[in-house]
Amino acid sequence: EPSLLLLDEPLAALDASTRGEVRRELRRQLREFAGVRILVTHDPVDAYALADRVIVLEAGRIAQSGSLAEVTRHPRSRYIADLVGLNLLTGVIDGSSLRLESGALVVTADGSATGAAFAAIRPSAVSLHRHVPEGSARNVWRGVVADIDRHADRVRVQLNGDVPLVAEITPNALEALELRPGTTVWAAVKASEVIAYPR
């Protein structure tokens, strides 16, 4: 009857189908354990499925801690944003305008913040275009495709530019846009999709 249970990468050596099954059983077992439960993992999926509180270590130090919802909604570093799958921009906000170090402007829907701030953008909120888009998006930036990664039925496109971003699109959109590394594109994001918060 231990008072503490430490699990160090318990699912790391399992294949994908077995991992899902073991994760479900592990979640059930952890719910029934009365003591302290500590799970060490590099896999965000394990954290989503098994944790109610997270502590993220970066370069050997605690970079952020809190509820899973808090950490995923407001990452405090690029490393954490990458872990939870968000774009993270830093700059100075005045009202609804966040000015990045590159000089680029990011418009948010909330106009009440001032000072040093982060802005988080979901990759699925970034639409890509071969020409300057017309429409309601308040944020439009020029970028160059740096890398393309396929993940099952989604494609993650990394963009370099004044506003470095990752966009998540479908394989059909990838082919229709004829995207390759080095391709110049326009990224558009609605102001309502930009979540700004103090640094």
Side-chain angles (χ1 to χ4, degrees), residues 49-69:
L50 302 171
D52 52 7
R53 181 169 173 75
V54 223
I55 296 174
V56 182
L57 298 177
E58 186 176 353
R61 297 178 183 266
I62 295 176
Q64 188 171 353
S65 65
S67 70
L68 188 59

Side-chain angles (χ1 to χ4, degrees), residues 16-188:
S17 60
T18 305
R19 183 177 297 160
E21 185 179 317
V22 173
R23 188 183 290 122
R24 285 187 294 277
E25 176 61 22
L26 184 57
R27 182 172 45 233
R28 188 181 68 74
Q29 294 287 337
L30 289 174
R31 272 198 305 261
E32 295 174 3
F33 183 75
V36 176
R37 297 149 295 175
I38 298 175
L39 171 73
V40 178
T41 183
H42 288 88
D43 188 341
V45 175
D46 291 345
Y48 283 120
L50 302 171
D52 52 7
R53 181 169 173 75
V54 223
I55 296 174
V56 182
L57 298 177
E58 186 176 353
R61 297 178 183 266
I62 295 176
Q64 188 171 353
S65 65
S67 70
L68 188 59
E70 179 186 347
V71 171
T72 56
R73 192 172 43 248
H74 296 135
R76 311 292 305 166
S77 74
R78 184 169 300 282
Y79 173 75
I80 298 168
D82 288 345
L83 276 178
V84 300
L86 292 176
N87 291 294
L88 186 67
L89 305 171
T90 59
V92 176
I93 196 165
D94 185 9
S96 61
S97 300
L98 177 75
R99 180 75 61 185
L100 307 183
E101 287 182 12
S102 66
L105 192 64
V106 179
V107 178
T108 72
D110 179 13
S112 62
T114 58
F118 291 112
I121 302 171
R122 290 177 299 105
S124 59
V126 181
S127 63
L128 299 181
H129 310 267
R130 288 302 296 266
H131 305 285
V132 180
E134 297 177 3
S136 62
R138 303 265 314 272
N139 296 295
V140 177
W141 310 289
R142 183 178 177 274
V144 175
V145 175
D147 199 10
I148 299 172
D149 283 321
R150 291 179 182 263
H151 295 273
D153 64 339
R154 306 299 287 170
V155 178
R156 290 174 71 88
V157 181
Q158 182 180 345
L159 302 176
N160 288 341
D162 289 342
V163 182
L165 292 170
V166 172
E168 191 174 86
I169 62 174
T170 65
N172 288 344
L174 177 70
E175 294 308 316
L177 292 167
E178 299 179 343
L179 299 182
R180 306 288 180 268
T183 304
T184 297
V185 295
W186 294 89

